[in-house]
């Protein structure tokens, strides 16, 4: 039998044969009882896996990784994990009714194991009928960024491509990471800034005197990358560490806690209350201005609107002088410390790395804007080793590039030839509905509501069906209890997941997804493009899991558009070959020779050795500084906009025409702090990627009393009679969670630090109840930053903490739901 015929057959007979269909081209022959070492890659890095009897028994870093992440070690456990979804599943009532039924039973009811055909037919039919009746506004497709990777079968792209073919869906503008920065920065600097190519570390290490890391923890956050990380930036951090210890460069960390980067660099810690950075920056601006420490020439030549802003900080607009005394009262930083900090930065060449955490806050647009103004007043923008960076602390950036082609991937656009072939195709008639990232639950709550964003009005769609892939809304999104309520309004929830996450458990149809090492793909290291990597399928997928590519293609097949989805490249391996061929062509134009595909596939990678010297000393805004008329910025004035007439015209109450301090909805200085006196910040964990790896053995290395740790100052612990290791209840009006207490002086008084992404473990699944394990988003606020960006405010939340006196129940986050073998 030909292989292709075999696949056809296997998709008809379903369950038992799909595993064998894995013997496609590009797959490795599996021989039991032998041991071999193979190369692969994912968002944690490139690594070797030792495979024995078809199982990964060990993973070790690739020798080319400059600073391997310890998370690599957890991959074997991640693959062969008891939380894997092994078979297609449908919630009992949904299967009985062959469609939407009893949504309030989600999370409570059993799942029934079904064949792929049953699951796919049900999903394809419900997607089609929902779309035909209600159009693209009824289909949620905020398939997120971090699950899986690869240029062919990355869940986010293939799922969105599938929904494009369906006719369109609700998609997002911006993202959870940088949503506020992305919208404000074009007004201020004329480009996104947050995703621009940053200055190279070499230029900074050779020229800077002060490096300020403001609301950022790059030693932690560079462990992973949106592409495959090589962790090359850690070599630069080592150089920075040496310079910091020897006193050649002063480093500062502005943060409510001493983070890993501050400790690594031995930085001076400027400890402030969460969410008050703008006040600190404005106080510094007032000080620099009144002490004549600011660069008046730079302001005059390269910026517009300083005089309007000046009136604000001098108190001429609202009779409140924003001096260091004012700033100290808001931020908790002593006046002398603010004065000294401002003076030091003004005196010698300073670069500020402005972190994303600052803008995942209420009015999160202001810190990025104000930090730019502060940096302009310091006057070092465009000079080597000086200025402001928004992207340097992320994705291993800042190292010298290699001369290498950038590889392509499956895209979301449909080639023109299919538009002609299918003149009545649904994708030709409809358009995607775009809402700001993280506003989707608000849409469930208030369909049809008009919200403002960046000068436009947006009508929130009426979502009736959700397709989740590569993301986990129940750990990602804010205010979980409200989400559970709103989720009941959705007719159908489909989730493509390798694991029984809280999101999978709250679904109607669950597709088991084959993940890294179980499927074929091609990838490239970021950000220097040093390697192109062959990603082979080295082990059999768990149970009957299939790749996101396969799942989406099967759905499209059921709508009659399989060839549109595959572009007639029928297997993932064909796509890999096509992408490689395209890379070879690009390489040719760069005068680089790449090996043949066969050689590449055999060896596992292509390495690009040559440094692109032309990028080595790159400094952002150098050209602008040298000639602001020729190299105008993309703002209306062509200069840095300290005052933006465009924003002023919006007349928003939550964003003026210049950066300003606007009280967050919750912070330590407002009335709510009387009832909930602790500000909880929820940074990203060094032990996982959001929620990923929380289901591996690594959890046991950092959990406290079996719970996600919460870091608290000794004085706060003492006030509440708490001891190290206590199981504590953390609560506010939105919900309650348990946590394991870690008492430390690293965190200032009034603040608790608890990482996002701990798996959700509700006492009563599907309902507002105590999370036994510590999903911090039970406590956070689901609100837009402002009418400018409408991004999330994950870091803005007040809580109270007490010793937990209730009965401690087992954690259900890592157990499978009840599964029936048939109806
Ligand atoms: N409180 C708080 N909340 C936050 C943040 C914060 O700082 N504080 N940060 C926010 C930010 S910046 C972000 S980016 C988001 C991240 O939010 P998400 O991107 O939703 O986070 P992950 O937990 O990485 O979710 C990825 C999911 O994909 C699944 N997956 C893994 N491999 C595959 C695959 O091959 N195919 C498919 N279909 N799925 C796969 C994983 O099991 C996991 O459930 O969280 C946001 N939420
Ligand atoms: N290991 C690991 N790395 C990751 C991720 C991961 O999940 N794990 N996620 C990736 C993703 S998607 C993103 S978007 C980035 C996120 O990168 P960031 O947004 O930079 O990361 P966070 O961890 O939210 O916060 C960084 C620092 O800001 C501090 N902070 C919190 N609130 C405030 C405040 O009000 N003021 C000041 N000054 N500081 C504050 C925190 O204490 C923390 O030390 O990380 C990426 N890298
Ligand atoms: Mo993010």
């Amino acid at each position: 039998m030909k292989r292709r015929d075999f696949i056809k057959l296997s998709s008809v007979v379903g369950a038992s044969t799909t595993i064998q269909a894995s013997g496609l081209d590009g797959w490795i022959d599996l021989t039991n009882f032998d041991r071999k070492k193979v190369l692969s890659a994912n968002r944690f890095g490139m690594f070797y896996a030792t495979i024995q009897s078809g199982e990964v028994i060990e993973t070790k870093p690739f020798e080319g990784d400059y600073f391997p992440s310890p998370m690599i070690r957890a991959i074997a456990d991640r693959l062969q994990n008891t939380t894997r979804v092994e078979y297609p599943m449908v919630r009992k009532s949904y299967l009985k009714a062959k469609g939407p039924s009893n949504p309030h039973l989600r999370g409570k009811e059993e799942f029934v194991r079904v064949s792929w055909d049953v699951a796919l037919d049900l999903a394809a039919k419900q997607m089609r009928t929902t779309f035909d009746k209600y159009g693209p506004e009824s289909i949620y497709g905020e398939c997120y960024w971090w699950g899986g990777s690869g240029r062919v079968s990355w869940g986010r792209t293939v799922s969105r491509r599938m929904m494009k073919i369906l006719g369109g869906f609700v998609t997002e503008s911006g993202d959870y990471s940088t949503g506020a920065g992305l919208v404000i920065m074009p007004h201020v600097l004329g480009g996104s800034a947050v995703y621009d190519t940053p200055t190279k570390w070499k230029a900074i290490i050779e020229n800077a005197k002060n490096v300020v890391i403001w609301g950022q923890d790059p030693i932690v956050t560079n462990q992973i990358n949106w592409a495959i990380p090589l962790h090359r930036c850690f070599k630069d951090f080592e150089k920075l560490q040496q310079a910091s210890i020897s006193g050649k460069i002063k480093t500062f960390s502005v943060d409510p806690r001493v983070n890993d980067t501050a400790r690594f660099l031995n930085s001076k810690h400027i400890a402030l209350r969460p969410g008050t950075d703008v006040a600190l920056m404005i106080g510094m601006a007032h000080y620099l201005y009144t002490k004549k420490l600011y660069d008046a020439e730079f302001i005059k030549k390269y910026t517009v609107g300083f005089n309007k802003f000046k009136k604000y900080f001098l108190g001429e607009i609202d009779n409140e002088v924003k001096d260091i005394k004012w700033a100290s009262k808001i931020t908790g930083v002593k006046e002398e410390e603010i004065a000294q900090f401002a003076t030091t930065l003004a005196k010698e060449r300073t670069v500020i790395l402005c972190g994303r955490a600052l803008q995942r806050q209420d009015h999160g647009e202001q810190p990025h804007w104000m930090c730019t103004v502060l940096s302009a007043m310091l006057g070092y923008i465009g000079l080597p080793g000086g200025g402001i960076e928004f992207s340097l602390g992320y994705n291993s950036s800042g190292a010298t590039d290699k001369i290498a082609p950038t590889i392509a991937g499956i895209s979301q656009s449909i080639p023109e030839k299919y538009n002609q072939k299918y003149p009545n195709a649904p994708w030709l008639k409809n358009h995607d509905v775009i809402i700001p990232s993280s506003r989707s639950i608000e849409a469930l709550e208030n369909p049809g509501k008009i919200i403002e964003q960046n000068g436009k009005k947006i009508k929130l769609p009426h979502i009736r069906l959700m397709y989740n892939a590569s993301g986990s809304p129940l750990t990602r999104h804010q205010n979980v209890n409200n989400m559970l309520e709103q989720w009941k309004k959705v007719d159908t929830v489909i989730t493509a997941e390798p694991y029984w996450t809280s999101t999978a458990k709250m679904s109607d149809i669950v597709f088991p997804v084959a993940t890294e090492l179980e499927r074929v793909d091609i990838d490239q290291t970021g950000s220097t493009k040093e390697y192109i990597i062959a990603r082979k399928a080295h082990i059999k997928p768990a149970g009957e899991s299939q790749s996101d590519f396969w799942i989406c293609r099967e759905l499209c097949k059921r709508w009659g558009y399989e060839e549109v989805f595959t572009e007639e490249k029928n297997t993932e391996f064909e796509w890999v070959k096509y992408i490689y061929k395209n890379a070879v062509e690009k390489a040719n134009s760069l005068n680089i020779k790449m090996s043949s595909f066969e050689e590449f596939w055999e060896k596992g990678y292509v390495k690009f050795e040559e440094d692109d010297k032309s990028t080595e000393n790159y400094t952002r805004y150098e050209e602008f500084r040298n000639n602001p008329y020729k190299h105008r910025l993309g703002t209306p004035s062509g200069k840095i906009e300290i005052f933006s007439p465009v924003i002023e015209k919006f007349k928003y109450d939550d964003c003026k025409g210049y950066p300003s301090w606007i009280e967050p909805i919750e912070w330590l200085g407002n009335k709510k702090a009387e009832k909930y006196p602790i500000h909880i910040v929820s940074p990203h964990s060094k032990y996982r990627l959001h929620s990923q790896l929380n289901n591996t053995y690594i959890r046991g290395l950092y959990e406290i009393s079996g719970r996600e740790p919460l870091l608290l100052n000794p004085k706060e612990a003492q006030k509440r009679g708490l001891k190290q290791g206590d199981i504590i209840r953390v609560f506010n009006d939105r919900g309650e969670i348990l946590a394991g207490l870690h008492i430390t002086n690293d965190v200032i008084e009034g603040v608790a630090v608890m990482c996002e992404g701990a798996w959700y473990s509700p006492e009563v699944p599907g309902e507002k109840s105590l999370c036994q394990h510590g999903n911090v988003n039970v406590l956070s606020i689901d609100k837009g930053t402002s009418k400018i960006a409408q991004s999330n405010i994950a870091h803005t939340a007040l809580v109270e903490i007490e010793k937990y006196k209730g009965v401690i129940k087992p954690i259900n986050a890592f157990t499978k739901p009840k599964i029936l073998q048939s109806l």
Side-chain angles (χ1 to χ4, degrees):
M1 189 172 14
K2 276 198 201 138
R3 273 180 172 157
R4 201 144 292 148
D5 296 336
F6 180 73
I7 309 167
K8 270 193 208 143
L9 179 67
S10 65
S11 71
V12 177
V13 256
S16 63
T17 46
T18 38
I19 294 171
Q20 290 164 46
S22 307
L24 287 170
D25 298 327
W27 284 70
I28 302 295
D29 284 334
L30 299 169
T31 326
N32 278 355
F33 309 115
D34 68 345
R35 194 181 241 240
K36 63 184 170 193
K37 197 171 141 193
V38 301
L39 182 67
S40 194
N42 60 16
R43 293 196 193 278
F44 305 102
M46 287 173 80
F47 59 89
Y48 291 109
T50 307
I51 296 176
Q52 185 173 300
S53 307
E55 283 212 336
V56 177
I57 55 166
E58 191 187 36
T59 39
K60 279 188 179 163
F62 173 61
E63 64 274 9
D65 192 328
Y66 294 84
F67 206 93
S69 167
M71 287 187 270
I72 292 276
R73 301 274 178 185
I75 288 164
D77 191 10
R78 170 176 158 92
L79 283 163
Q80 291 118 203
N81 197 282
T82 52
T83 61
R84 288 294 296 261
V85 181
E86 290 172 296
Y87 306 100
M89 296 282 170
V90 182
R91 185 170 60 82
K92 194 169 133 191
S93 300
Y94 199 96
L95 185 64
K96 253 191 193 159
K98 295 197 170 63
S101 173
N102 293 334
H104 61 283
L105 292 182
R106 277 189 204 118
K108 300 187 178 75
E109 222 183 349
E110 302 94 325
F111 279 94
V112 186
R113 177 179 166 181
V114 295
S115 68
W116 267 110
D117 275 340
V118 167
L120 288 162
D121 288 349
L122 206 52
K125 183 185 127 235
Q126 194 58 31
M127 290 180 89
R128 183 79 279 159
T129 46
T130 306
F131 182 89
D132 289 347
K133 211 162 162 195
Y134 304 109
E137 71 153 335
S138 62
I139 312 282
Y140 162 101
E142 198 175 42
C143 298
Y144 215 62
W145 287 86
W146 293 101
S149 53
R151 303 299 160 112
V152 182
S153 193
W154 179 28
R156 175 175 166 89
T157 342
V158 290
S159 306
R160 289 156 69 95
R161 180 178 173 87
M162 171 271 289
M163 285 181 271
K164 190 115 205 154
I165 291 170
L166 175 71
F169 59 101
V170 179
T171 181
E172 79 269 15
S173 62
D175 51 41
Y176 280 73
S177 314
T178 62
L182 269 170
V183 178
I184 194 72
M185 292 324 288
H187 292 291
V188 180
L189 278 169
S192 99
V194 291
Y195 291 130
D196 287 351
T197 307
T199 296
K200 297 293 179 212
W201 274 114
K202 189 168 176 286
I204 291 177
I205 288 159
E206 284 172 7
N207 301 290
K209 289 284 177 245
N210 300 308
V211 175
V212 183
I213 300 190
W214 202 311
Q216 207 180 61
D217 195 1
I219 290 293
V220 168
T221 52
N222 279 296
Q223 298 282 331
I224 58 89
N225 193 335
W226 73 268
I228 308 300
L230 267 190
H231 306 107
R232 200 163 140 178
C233 65
F234 284 85
K235 291 283 149 202
D236 298 304
F237 281 113
E238 277 177 339
K239 287 188 191 142
L240 187 58
Q241 184 191 46
Q242 282 157 16
S244 176
I245 289 169
S246 71
K248 192 174 154 271
I249 295 178
K250 289 193 195 75
T251 64
F252 299 85
S253 169
V254 189
D255 204 297
R257 55 134 177 188
V258 179
N259 65 24
D260 279 32
T261 308
R263 201 173 291 112
F264 181 79
L265 295 176
N266 195 27
S267 304
K268 165 125 183 65
H269 183 209
I270 312 279
L272 84 177
R273 291 193 185 120
T276 65
D277 301 82
V278 174
L280 179 60
M281 295 171 196
I282 294 172
M284 288 167 77
H286 180 278
Y287 187 81
L288 293 173
Y289 179 75
T290 50
K291 299 285 173 199
K292 297 197 168 46
L293 284 166
Y294 80 112
D295 190 334
E297 214 174 299
F298 186 92
I299 293 291
K300 196 165 159 224
K301 195 164 171 196
Y302 301 101
T303 74
V304 292
F306 183 73
N307 285 339
K308 291 205 165 136
F309 174 62
K310 189 174 85 182
K311 284 194 184 138
Y312 167 70
F313 68 66
L314 291 175
E316 290 168 17
I317 296 177
D318 55 8
N319 285 326
E320 190 173 41
V321 181
K322 305 320 165 292
D323 54 11
I324 52 172
K325 190 170 168 200
W326 169 87
S328 173
K329 222 174 134 216
I330 296 170
T331 60
V333 185
K334 290 200 178 76
E335 283 175 50
E336 315 79 80
E337 196 175 1
I338 304 175
Q340 205 186 1
F341 186 36
T343 308
T344 310
L345 302 194
K347 290 252 154 90
E348 285 187 302
R349 192 158 301 180
T350 296
V351 62
I352 306 177
L353 274 64
C354 183
R356 294 176 184 171
L358 299 181
Q359 48 92 69
R360 284 201 300 286
Q361 310 230 3
D362 201 14
H363 313 119
E365 298 82 4
Q366 306 302 317
H368 273 37
W369 193 353
M370 185 55 218
C371 205
T372 310
V373 174
L374 179 64
S375 180
M377 289 179 76
L378 297 173
Y380 298 117
I381 293 174
L383 292 177
I388 184 152
E389 300 291 329
F390 297 95
S391 53
L392 185 57
Y394 303 99
N395 292 316
S396 291
S397 57
T400 308
D401 297 329
K402 296 288 177 190
I403 302 177
T406 304
I407 65 168
I410 287 190
S411 83
Q412 283 167 46
S413 47
I414 296 156
E416 186 53 37
K417 70 172 181 177
Y418 300 111
N419 294 346
Q420 281 157 20
K421 186 166 175 189
Y422 299 100
N424 297 318
W427 65 84
L428 291 171
K429 289 182 225 124
N430 279 295
H431 298 289
D432 295 341
V433 176
I434 303 170
I435 59 171
S437 174
S438 84
R439 291 298 89 223
S440 48
I441 302 301
E442 187 175 352
L444 297 184
E445 196 166 355
N446 291 305
K449 180 181 168 185
I450 308 286
I451 61 165
E452 302 267 356
Q453 190 204 25
N454 204 18
K456 293 198 197 80
K457 290 196 190 312
I458 293 171
K459 188 173 156 209
L460 294 179
H462 191 155
I463 295 166
R464 296 162 199 266
L465 181 147
M466 297 172 86
Y467 189 95
N468 299 304
S470 289
S472 187
L474 274 152
T475 42
R476 172 174 78 241
H477 194 72
Q478 286 60 58
N479 196 348
V480 171
N481 286 325
N482 181 48
M483 200 186 322
L484 294 173
E485 247 350 88
Q486 305 314 325
W487 203 277
K488 290 178 187 161
K489 297 178 185 161
V490 181
D491 295 338
T492 301
V493 181
I494 305 169
T495 298
E497 252 293 344
Y499 305 99
W500 278 113
T501 58
S502 44
T503 300
K505 287 176 182 170
M506 283 296 292
S507 303
D508 300 313
I509 302 173
V510 184
F511 295 140
V513 178
T515 186
E516 55 221 6
L517 277 97
E518 298 175 335
R519 59 176 183 80
V520 172
D521 215 315
I522 184 166
D523 230 317
Q524 185 164 34
T525 55
S527 60
T528 54
K529 301 188 287 187
E530 198 164 333
Y531 295 88
I532 295 177
I533 311 149
R535 290 182 47 180
K536 305 178 205 181
H538 291 292
I539 52 170
K540 284 183 193 169
E544 290 175 6
S545 305
Q546 292 283 5
S547 67
D548 287 288
F549 177 93
W550 185 91
I551 294 165
C552 293
R553 164 205 179 149
E554 286 292 319
L555 290 169
C556 290
K557 187 205 269 179
R558 282 159 173 78
W559 305 321
Y561 299 119
E562 186 182 17
E563 63 165 0
V564 184
F565 180 81
T566 61
E567 287 178 33
E568 292 142 86
K569 285 179 274 296
N570 263 317
T571 62
E572 285 145 271
F573 193 51
E574 277 182 50
W575 270 98
V576 168
K577 286 200 269 194
Y578 168 77
I579 290 167
Y580 191 83
K581 188 165 162 261
N582 179 274
V584 171
E585 283 160 16
K586 283 186 191 159
N588 285 342
S589 65
L590 294 169
N591 281 327
I592 321 169
K593 206 177 143 28
M594 279 167 61
S595 48
S596 71
F597 179 79
E598 289 68 27
E599 255 177 85
F600 157 69
W601 199 250
E602 176 62 32
K603 187 172 179 193
Y605 62 83
V606 175
K607 184 175 183 191
F608 299 92
E609 307 268 0
E610 201 183 331
D611 279 341
D612 184 352
K613 295 271 184 209
S614 69
T615 67
E616 204 174 43
N617 292 308
Y618 174 71
T619 293
R620 271 171 73 73
Y621 304 116
E622 195 168 22
E623 288 180 326
F624 168 66
R625 186 173 188 118
N626 291 343
N627 190 341
Y629 305 102
K630 191 165 166 218
H631 300 285
R632 289 167 56 89
L633 298 181
T635 52
S637 61
K639 296 187 177 182
I640 298 170
E641 301 218 344
I642 295 176
F643 177 85
S644 161
V646 174
I647 293 181
E648 168 89 349
K649 271 208 195 105
F650 296 159
K651 295 202 174 357
Y652 289 156
D653 55 358
D654 48 12
C655 184
K656 298 188 205 305
Y658 48 84
S660 63
W661 161 248
I662 311 168
E663 275 200 42
I665 183 166
E666 289 184 13
W667 72 295
L668 290 172
N670 73 3
K671 243 191 124 35
K672 283 184 196 156
E674 286 168 17
K675 189 169 174 200
Y676 296 116
I678 302 280
H679 191 130
I680 193 159
V681 294
S682 45
H684 295 213
S685 169
K686 64 176 152 185
Y687 305 104
R688 54 178 186 254
L689 172 54
H690 309 297
S691 72
Q692 300 185 69
L693 300 187
N694 197 220
N695 54 342
T696 69
Y697 78 92
I698 288 196
R699 185 175 82 248
L701 306 181
Y702 63 84
E703 277 191 344
I704 293 180
S705 305
R707 308 285 170 307
E708 180 66 20
L710 178 143
L711 277 54
L712 195 67
N713 184 279
K715 289 200 181 124
E716 298 292 355
Q718 205 185 6
K719 269 189 230 167
R720 293 166 178 80
L722 302 172
K723 292 190 304 299
Q724 173 72 17
D726 274 351
I727 294 182
I728 49 174
R729 179 176 164 258
V730 193
F731 60 99
N732 58 24
D733 293 339
R734 291 175 289 276
E736 49 177 351
I737 63 176
L738 298 187
L741 181 65
H742 179 62
I743 301 173
T744 167
N745 276 312
D746 284 351
V747 181
I748 63 167
E749 278 177 70
V751 175
V753 176
M754 193 171 178
C755 288
E756 52 110 31
W759 281 31
Y760 178 53
S761 192
E763 198 163 21
V764 186
E767 300 297 334
K768 179 172 182 173
S769 63
L770 176 73
C771 171
Q772 297 276 339
H773 186 234
N775 175 5
V776 72
N777 274 324
V778 169
L779 305 167
S780 55
I781 309 169
D782 185 8
K783 171 190 169 298
T785 45
S786 81
K787 296 186 184 75
I788 284 281
Q790 296 282 6
S791 190
N792 74 84
I793 63 163
H795 284 304
T796 303
L798 292 175
V799 297
E800 180 52 294
I801 296 171
E802 64 180 20
K803 192 172 159 77
Y804 183 58
K805 298 191 199 83
V807 181
I808 292 166
K809 308 232 173 92
I811 285 167
N812 57 26
F814 306 103
T815 48
K816 291 185 180 185
K818 281 207 189 82
I819 293 168
L820 305 175
Q821 292 306 313
S822 62
L823 249 192

